[in-house]
Amino acid sequence: MLVLFKSLADQTRLRLLAILQLGEFTVQELVEILKMGQSRISRHLKILLDAGVVQVKREGTWAYYRLDPRNSLFR
């Protein structure tokens, strides 16, 4: 549970979660929306992924991020 709370204790990650409530997005789409660098967005997504807050669906070279529906925080 500590990992989960630490993952939510960042303004950028909270902004990502607000966006991901709208659906699936690629890193590139999130970069454009948030006007941040790709490596920074990827790092934050990795933290959220490790905490079980988001999940990733890979299709070829594309990765689509969305909220993890198994996480009861977002129901």
Side-chain angles (χ1 to χ4, degrees):
M1 187 168 273
L2 182 61
V3 172
L4 173 64
F5 288 132
K6 281 185 176 183
S7 75
L8 300 176
D10 180 88
Q11 181 179 357
T12 300
R13 290 192 287 274
L14 291 175
R15 289 175 65 198
L16 281 167
L17 293 178
I19 294 165
L20 292 174
Q21 286 183 325
L22 302 173
E24 292 183 342
F25 293 86
T26 65
V27 173
Q28 187 57 38
E29 290 170 327
L30 295 168
V31 164
E32 291 177 24
I33 293 167
L34 293 171
K35 306 292 187 226
M36 294 180 181
Q38 180 269 326
S39 61
R40 186 172 176 195
I41 297 293
S42 293
R43 181 175 58 87
H44 286 296
L45 287 170
K46 173 77 166 105
I47 291 168
L48 293 170
L49 189 64
D50 290 346
V53 178
V54 301
Q55 62 182 198
V56 61
K57 176 178 68 175
R58 300 196 187 277
E59 291 182 7
T61 58
W62 293 99
Y64 296 88
Y65 289 86
R66 67 177 182 161
L67 295 179
D68 191 332
R70 298 171 294 181
N71 191 315
S72 61
L73 284 176
F74 304 107
R75 287 187 204 162

